[in-house]
Amino acid sequence: MNADDERALLIDALAAGEATPAQRARWECLGGDDPAVRDQVALAVRLRALLAPPDAALADRVLAIAASDEPAARAGTIAGIDRRLGSRARLRPVRRRPIVLQPLWWAVAAGLLLSTALLAWRWSSSAPGTPPQDYARVERLDATALVQVDGRDVVAGRTTLAAGAHLAVRNGRAALRFADGTTIDLMTDASLVAGPDAPGRSIVLEAGTVTATVASQPAERPLRIRTPQGEVTVVGTIFDLAVDAEWTRIAMFSGRVRLAGVDGVGAIPVVAGQRAAVRRGGLPQLEEDGSVRMPMAAPGVAGPGSAPTSRSVRIGPSADGYAWIAKPRAVTGHETLLAVKKADGTDRAKTREIFLRFPVTWRGPVERAVLHLEVITPGEPTRHALLAAIGAWDEDGLCWDVRPAVQEPPVATWPVTAPGPIAIDVTRAVRDQRGDTIDWCIRGTAQVGPDGMCAYGSREHGRSGARPWLEVTVRDGE
Amino acid sequence: MEAQELDVLAVRAQAGDREAFRALVMATQTTVRVAIAWRVSSRDLVEEVLQETYVIAFQRLPHYRPEGTFVPWLKGIARIQIAKELHARRRHVALAGDAVDRALMPADPDDSGDADDGAVAAALRDCLAQLAPRARLLVERRYAEDLPLAILARQFKQKATTLATTLMRIRSSLHDCLKTKGLTS
């Protein structure tokens, strides 16, 4: 597909609100800065507004929201949920699309219907008394993830979480998926207990960091997430929630929730773009200036899968960005994606290198260290290398002209073939570090073609699971 | 529907007639949606502001004075909601937005100023009427019927990429048409 075709499809998808993260990542490459491209998107949105027939269900939704007299109810009815964040629940009312089926498809559809009915019957007979709309399923997101439900390892692809069950992520990442489309991504060391009555309606987050993408909830029956310090009432939104021994912190990406102390005291609304926190025994407060970052360096909780004298620490980068030959003075430190590409010859100007910095916040001997990245768009299959970066740099000034030098040989190399999380063993490099920070460069090891640019999530990425992080396991008591 | 007819419905809605309110929403939503779409470039945002506008309109209905200004009253509410939404989203975009978010975020909700969106909409309809029949059909199926490109590709016996490019050319011609009328799209 040539760039013109790709640009035309991207404009169409953006105007329809259907652009995928991979398409959005190509925006700049396809001339998104050109005002004519922006005009195209705007005109397509206006054409749709002008020509679309009236929404017959709009008045009923409005009356339902107004009748609920609950401000939070509005957040879930139509969320301006950002498709950057990937497989988001589409909370916009289902659009009218005529069903066009050929005779063969009628047969396929009938078969599917029959299969669905059989599955539903099997479900109802195997789990009597469990409302199907409230089930929650556990999925391991990394091949190496160690996830336990009630102390037993989750080895199959999916496990249903029963009411009252205890879920713990000892290593890697996991996702909890509810029947209504709600997804909760859990990071290493996160642990929770499913609600006693209906796991899809309430959970108790004991510790760790989660990213919740909550589908529209009935206003009279919202999802409640309790923590040791308080509770969050959700009717449909996307947010990060981090819990440690002292604090519960929330960062809102979309919609609105209510954050309260223990037993619901002092509830405050928290809306998109805001951060708030509640301390043990305290009342929730907004962190208005937005400068408070999620506690990415919070110490983890030692799990039964770890040695009793070990503990894991998860650390977010203190700086990241990429340098690009074609724009030698462009500063990318606040981009949501980190781009990397190796190109030679006439294509050389497209070469990009990523730089990452992690603060050294742990003490004690390092048993194991793993760098976690998420590939958002892989480009062409290739291989990347991690090298030590030497010299001063900062996020607000990093560009090709002043990028730090790098030291051969690579700390590690890995193949890149598909979107998704990648875990890189960096134990030796972390053990050998001597400074207050660890600085790395990611570069391609082989030349790729025009479509070969790869993008990883940066620390500014909207989904916390896509951001880089370093997991360090250290021995205590030494 | 004439302004006086809308006022009749508004008075009935003020008295608690839900059917009258439904009729008001049906009668005015295209005009309000177009007015919102002239100030923001995101379909999601248009729909979100539209819904919030009617929620507030319903709650403030007792304060509306039936003087033939129901649609301007709604548009005023919509403009305030656009400003609020853009303010909130600007923070979100600054925290977690990508290049697309930044590019499509209007610098100022009043960038479109006091442009008469009704006049621009009428001009756009006029420009649409000047399109070749096949181009008009494609636009109607994509934007009025909301058919995906994959289905349109089967109907028009062309590749989806070809149709997307055709739609881009059609939009360019509509843009030029509006320019000749002294308007911008």
Side-chain angles (χ1 to χ4, degrees):
Chain A
M1 191 190 308
N2 64 40
D4 288 340
D5 287 347
E6 204 180 343
R7 186 184 305 119
L9 284 173
L10 173 60
I11 290 169
D12 186 80
L14 280 170
E18 293 166 351
T20 63
Q23 281 181 305
R24 296 174 72 94
R26 297 274 296 150
W27 169 258
E28 282 179 331
C29 306
L30 298 173
D33 290 340
D34 183 350
V37 174
R38 294 200 294 265
D39 286 348
Q40 282 274 341
V41 177
L43 186 53
V45 170
R46 288 160 190 177
L47 279 168
R48 205 179 292 274
L50 185 69
L51 298 175
D55 179 356
L58 175 61
D60 286 334
R61 287 203 308 276
V62 167
L63 289 169
I65 294 164
S68 74
D69 197 28
E70 167 58 70
R74 289 177 210 169
T77 49
I78 295 182
I81 291 206
D82 205 331
R83 282 150 306 284
R84 254 177 309 86
L85 301 174
S87 57
R88 304 300 138 223
R90 297 299 302 273
L91 302 180
R92 182 146 28 94
V94 176
R95 283 181 243 145
R96 293 173 295 282
R97 281 195 174 157
I99 298 169
V100 182
L101 288 177
Q102 304 296 330
L104 174 65
W105 291 106
W106 281 113
V108 174
L112 282 172
L113 200 62
L114 190 61
S115 309
T116 308
L118 277 170
L119 280 171
W121 176 78
R122 277 181 63 94
W123 171 271
S124 61
S125 58
S126 64
T130 305
Q133 69 273 21
D134 283 338
Y135 72 77
R137 278 201 298 239
V138 184
E139 291 180 26
R140 293 155 71 231
L141 293 181
D142 305 334
T144 57
L146 175 57
V147 182
Q148 294 180 324
V149 172
D150 288 337
R152 286 196 301 265
D153 290 353
V154 175
V155 286
R158 292 175 177 182
T159 297
T160 300
L161 195 68
H166 182 265
L167 169 68
V169 183
R170 307 298 182 200
N171 188 27
R173 299 187 310 145
L176 194 55
R177 300 190 197 284
F178 300 124
D180 64 0
T182 294
T183 301
I184 297 181
D185 287 348
L186 300 103
M187 305 303 176
T188 301
D189 296 331
S191 64
L192 60 80
V193 178
D197 46 0
R201 300 267 67 86
S202 71
I203 59 174
V204 179
L205 180 62
E206 298 174 324
T209 302
V210 301
T211 298
T213 305
V214 182
S216 182
Q217 305 286 305
E220 73 283 1
R221 211 163 158 249
L223 174 67
R224 291 183 195 282
I225 302 178
R226 293 193 174 85
T227 71
Q229 295 85 18
E231 70 176 48
V232 182
T233 306
V234 195
V235 290
T237 178
I238 298 177
F239 58 88
D240 275 1
L241 189 63
V243 177
D244 60 26
E246 194 67 16
W247 288 93
T248 291
R249 295 176 194 272
I250 190 164
M252 296 294 300
F253 297 113
S254 167
R256 181 197 303 249
V257 301
R258 294 178 77 78
L259 177 66
V262 174
D263 295 332
V265 298
I268 58 168
V270 191
V271 301
Q274 288 184 329
R275 293 164 190 269
V278 55
R279 195 170 190 167
R280 181 179 288 277
L283 295 176
Q285 287 185 325
L286 284 177
E287 295 175 339
E288 283 290 354
D289 63 359
S291 62
V292 179
R293 294 270 174 192
M294 295 296 287
M296 295 305 290
V301 177
S306 313
T309 56
S310 299
R311 65 187 173 91
S312 288
V313 181
R314 55 172 300 138
I315 301 143
S318 54
D320 64 11
Y322 65 91
W324 182 10
I325 290 184
K327 293 189 176 178
R329 294 189 181 170
V331 174
T332 61
H334 300 285
E335 299 283 329
T336 55
L337 295 174
L338 299 170
V340 58
K341 176 171 181 170
K342 179 179 170 67
D344 292 323
T346 55
D347 214 23
R348 184 171 180 276
K350 292 178 180 171
T351 294
R352 296 165 172 88
E353 294 179 352
I354 294 170
F355 291 87
L356 290 166
R357 171 177 295 151
F358 290 92
V360 175
T361 60
W362 63 91
R363 292 179 187 279
V366 173
E367 280 189 351
R368 187 163 180 259
V370 179
L371 173 62
H372 295 268
L373 301 170
E374 182 159 324
V375 177
I376 307 296
T377 53
E380 293 173 13
T382 186
R383 201 166 182 88
H384 291 159
L386 187 74
L387 301 105
I390 307 158
W393 66 281
D394 66 71
E395 198 172 62
D396 295 323
L398 174 69
C399 61
W400 188 265
D401 281 351
V402 296
R403 71 193 192 285
V406 298
Q407 184 178 5
E408 296 280 0
V411 170
T413 67
W414 62 94
V416 177
T417 55
I422 285 180
I424 304 152
D425 189 334
V426 290
T427 306
R428 178 169 294 181
V430 169
R431 276 184 189 150
D432 291 346
Q433 67 77 29
R434 293 291 176 265
D436 296 331
T437 62
I438 295 183
D439 294 78
W440 281 317
C441 168
I442 297 172
R443 59 166 55 158
T445 61
Q447 184 182 348
V448 291
D451 297 326
M453 192 184 78
C454 169
Y456 293 93
S458 80
R459 75 187 190 119
E460 284 86 4
H461 197 279
R463 185 162 47 84
S464 66
R467 299 171 199 155
W469 57 285
L470 183 62
E471 182 182 19
V472 180
T473 306
V474 292
R475 271 198 302 277
D476 273 340
E478 293 191 28
Chain B
M1 196 178 280
E2 294 294 322
Q4 284 70 24
E5 293 174 273
L6 291 175
D7 275 354
V8 170
L9 288 172
V11 170
R12 281 173 48 199
Q14 284 173 330
D17 184 340
R18 297 280 171 115
E19 283 311 313
F21 182 74
R22 286 190 180 92
L24 276 174
V25 174
M26 284 298 283
T28 57
Q29 65 171 276
T30 297
T31 308
V32 180
R33 184 182 277 115
V34 166
I36 297 167
W38 244 264
R39 290 177 172 83
V40 298
S41 304
S42 152
R43 184 183 186 183
D44 278 337
L45 192 50
V46 170
E47 295 302 320
E48 191 153 334
V49 169
L50 181 72
Q51 177 173 280
E52 192 65 12
T53 296
Y54 280 107
V55 170
I56 290 169
F58 180 79
Q59 290 167 337
R60 294 188 185 163
L61 204 51
H63 302 291
Y64 172 69
R65 286 193 295 182
E67 295 171 341
T69 55
F70 190 72
V71 169
W73 182 69
L74 283 174
K75 286 184 181 178
I77 295 173
R79 288 187 68 159
I80 293 168
Q81 290 311 306
I82 290 168
K84 280 185 180 174
E85 276 293 329
L86 289 180
H87 177 73
R89 280 178 189 234
R90 224 166 255 130
R91 289 194 64 171
H92 164 62
V93 167
L95 285 168
D98 62 12
V100 180
D101 291 324
R102 284 192 291 278
L104 297 183
M105 175 66 70
D108 186 314
D110 283 334
D111 260 4
S112 301
D114 294 321
D116 182 350
D117 44 69
V120 184
L124 185 53
R125 281 191 192 280
D126 188 38
C127 293
L128 281 167
Q130 294 173 26
L131 291 175
R134 188 176 164 83
R136 201 163 58 238
L137 185 64
L138 178 59
V139 168
E140 281 170 2
R141 293 209 175 151
R142 183 68 183 119
Y143 298 121
E145 297 175 30
D146 206 14
L147 288 174
L149 282 179
I151 288 180
L152 290 175
R154 286 213 299 273
Q155 292 180 350
F156 283 79
K157 296 184 170 48
Q158 287 186 309
K159 288 196 286 189
T161 49
T162 309
L163 288 180
T165 305
T166 306
L167 282 167
M168 204 158 84
R169 289 196 190 116
I170 292 171
R171 288 192 298 266
S172 292
S173 72
L174 290 172
H175 188 271
D176 293 343
C177 173
L178 287 172
K179 259 177 132 176
T180 62
K181 294 174 185 289
L183 300 164
T184 55
S185 61

mmCIF file of all heavy atoms in Angstrom, chain A residues 8 17 25 60 115 139 149 158 193 214 217 225 242 359 454-455:
data_model
loop_
_atom_site.group_PDB
_atom_site.id
_atom_site.type_symbol
_atom_site.label_atom_id
_atom_site.label_comp_id
_atom_site.label_asym_id
_atom_site.label_seq_id
_atom_site.Cartn_x
_atom_site.Cartn_y
_atom_site.Cartn_z
ATOM 1 N N ALA A 8 -5.246 8.137 3.009
ATOM 2 C CA ALA A 8 -6.693 8.199 2.763
ATOM 3 C C ALA A 8 -7.445 7.307 3.743
ATOM 4 O O ALA A 8 -8.485 7.696 4.292
ATOM 5 C CB ALA A 8 -6.986 7.779 1.319
ATOM 6 N N GLY A 17 -13.884 7.651 13.827
ATOM 7 C CA GLY A 17 -13.575 7.276 15.198
ATOM 8 C C GLY A 17 -13.137 5.832 15.299
ATOM 9 O O GLY A 17 -13.327 5.181 16.323
ATOM 10 N N ALA A 25 -0.221 5.691 15.060
ATOM 11 C CA ALA A 25 1.232 5.818 15.177
ATOM 12 C C ALA A 25 1.865 6.250 13.856
ATOM 13 O O ALA A 25 2.982 6.747 13.833
ATOM 14 C CB ALA A 25 1.823 4.482 15.627
ATOM 15 N N ASP A 60 -33.917 9.217 24.950
ATOM 16 C CA ASP A 60 -34.082 8.267 26.061
ATOM 17 C C ASP A 60 -32.832 8.210 26.927
ATOM 18 O O ASP A 60 -32.923 8.104 28.154
ATOM 19 C CB ASP A 60 -34.413 6.866 25.516
ATOM 20 C CG ASP A 60 -35.850 6.808 25.016
ATOM 21 O OD1 ASP A 60 -36.683 7.593 25.519
ATOM 22 O OD2 ASP A 60 -36.132 6.000 24.129
ATOM 23 N N SER A 115 -24.272 -22.763 18.033
ATOM 24 C CA SER A 115 -23.109 -23.002 18.896
ATOM 25 C C SER A 115 -23.196 -22.144 20.144
ATOM 26 O O SER A 115 -22.927 -22.596 21.257
ATOM 27 C CB SER A 115 -21.820 -22.660 18.153
ATOM 28 O OG SER A 115 -21.801 -23.282 16.922
ATOM 29 N N GLU A 139 -6.534 -13.789 32.482
ATOM 30 C CA GLU A 139 -5.676 -14.167 31.357
ATOM 31 C C GLU A 139 -4.250 -13.742 31.656
ATOM 32 O O GLU A 139 -4.024 -12.638 32.145
ATOM 33 C CB GLU A 139 -6.132 -13.480 30.068
ATOM 34 C CG GLU A 139 -7.442 -13.986 29.548
ATOM 35 C CD GLU A 139 -7.840 -13.270 28.269
ATOM 36 O OE1 GLU A 139 -6.945 -12.790 27.552
ATOM 37 O OE2 GLU A 139 -9.047 -13.182 28.021
ATOM 38 N N VAL A 149 -4.371 -18.022 41.298
ATOM 39 C CA VAL A 149 -5.719 -17.818 41.818
ATOM 40 C C VAL A 149 -5.880 -18.763 42.989
ATOM 41 O O VAL A 149 -5.734 -19.984 42.831
ATOM 42 C CB VAL A 149 -6.785 -18.091 40.735
ATOM 43 C CG1 VAL A 149 -8.175 -18.073 41.352
ATOM 44 C CG2 VAL A 149 -6.690 -17.051 39.630
ATOM 45 N N ARG A 158 -7.015 -19.245 30.109
ATOM 46 C CA ARG A 158 -8.042 -18.473 30.810
ATOM 47 C C ARG A 158 -8.559 -19.244 32.010
ATOM 48 O O ARG A 158 -8.735 -20.448 31.961
ATOM 49 C CB ARG A 158 -9.218 -18.187 29.873
ATOM 50 C CG ARG A 158 -8.824 -17.252 28.773
ATOM 51 C CD ARG A 158 -9.937 -17.065 27.803
ATOM 52 N NE ARG A 158 -9.527 -16.098 26.801
ATOM 53 C CZ ARG A 158 -10.298 -15.687 25.829
ATOM 54 N NH1 ARG A 158 -11.520 -16.141 25.714
ATOM 55 N NH2 ARG A 158 -9.864 -14.811 24.953
ATOM 56 N N VAL A 193 -8.957 -9.350 45.491
ATOM 57 C CA VAL A 193 -9.944 -10.348 45.883
ATOM 58 C C VAL A 193 -11.243 -10.002 45.172
ATOM 59 O O VAL A 193 -11.677 -8.836 45.189
ATOM 60 C CB VAL A 193 -10.173 -10.336 47.413
ATOM 61 C CG1 VAL A 193 -11.240 -11.351 47.795
ATOM 62 C CG2 VAL A 193 -8.878 -10.624 48.145
ATOM 63 N N VAL A 214 -13.130 0.488 32.062
ATOM 64 C CA VAL A 214 -14.420 0.026 32.563
ATOM 65 C C VAL A 214 -15.527 0.395 31.587
ATOM 66 O O VAL A 214 -15.691 1.568 31.248
ATOM 67 C CB VAL A 214 -14.705 0.637 33.957
ATOM 68 C CG1 VAL A 214 -16.017 0.110 34.503
ATOM 69 C CG2 VAL A 214 -13.571 0.304 34.912
ATOM 70 N N GLN A 217 -21.398 1.143 33.097
ATOM 71 C CA GLN A 217 -22.032 0.353 34.151
ATOM 72 C C GLN A 217 -23.424 0.903 34.447
ATOM 73 O O GLN A 217 -23.656 2.106 34.298
ATOM 74 C CB GLN A 217 -21.196 0.442 35.427
ATOM 75 C CG GLN A 217 -19.746 0.038 35.270
ATOM 76 C CD GLN A 217 -19.589 -1.457 35.134
ATOM 77 O OE1 GLN A 217 -20.036 -2.222 35.974
ATOM 78 N NE2 GLN A 217 -18.973 -1.891 34.037
ATOM 79 N N ILE A 225 -14.303 -0.576 43.395
ATOM 80 C CA ILE A 225 -12.977 -1.117 43.676
ATOM 81 C C ILE A 225 -12.569 -0.599 45.042
ATOM 82 O O ILE A 225 -12.395 0.612 45.231
ATOM 83 C CB ILE A 225 -11.952 -0.695 42.610
ATOM 84 C CG1 ILE A 225 -12.415 -1.154 41.230
ATOM 85 C CG2 ILE A 225 -10.580 -1.285 42.925
ATOM 86 C CD1 ILE A 225 -11.490 -0.733 40.095
ATOM 87 N N ALA A 242 -3.083 2.809 41.731
ATOM 88 C CA ALA A 242 -1.894 2.231 42.359
ATOM 89 C C ALA A 242 -2.110 2.192 43.865
ATOM 90 O O ALA A 242 -2.533 3.183 44.466
ATOM 91 C CB ALA A 242 -0.659 3.070 42.034
ATOM 92 N N PRO A 359 16.099 5.462 37.343
ATOM 93 C CA PRO A 359 16.808 5.813 38.576
ATOM 94 C C PRO A 359 17.149 4.546 39.364
ATOM 95 O O PRO A 359 16.384 3.573 39.334
ATOM 96 C CB PRO A 359 15.790 6.668 39.330
ATOM 97 C CG PRO A 359 14.463 6.175 38.856
ATOM 98 C CD PRO A 359 14.655 5.737 37.431
ATOM 99 N N CYS A 454 9.705 0.792 14.002
ATOM 100 C CA CYS A 454 9.055 0.139 15.143
ATOM 101 C C CYS A 454 8.813 1.196 16.221
ATOM 102 O O CYS A 454 9.611 2.124 16.385
ATOM 103 C CB CYS A 454 9.959 -0.968 15.670
ATOM 104 S SG CYS A 454 9.432 -1.645 17.248
ATOM 105 N N ALA A 455 7.719 1.048 16.935
ATOM 106 C CA ALA A 455 7.432 1.993 18.023
ATOM 107 C C ALA A 455 7.104 1.230 19.299
ATOM 108 O O ALA A 455 6.301 0.290 19.287
ATOM 109 C CB ALA A 455 6.278 2.904 17.646
#
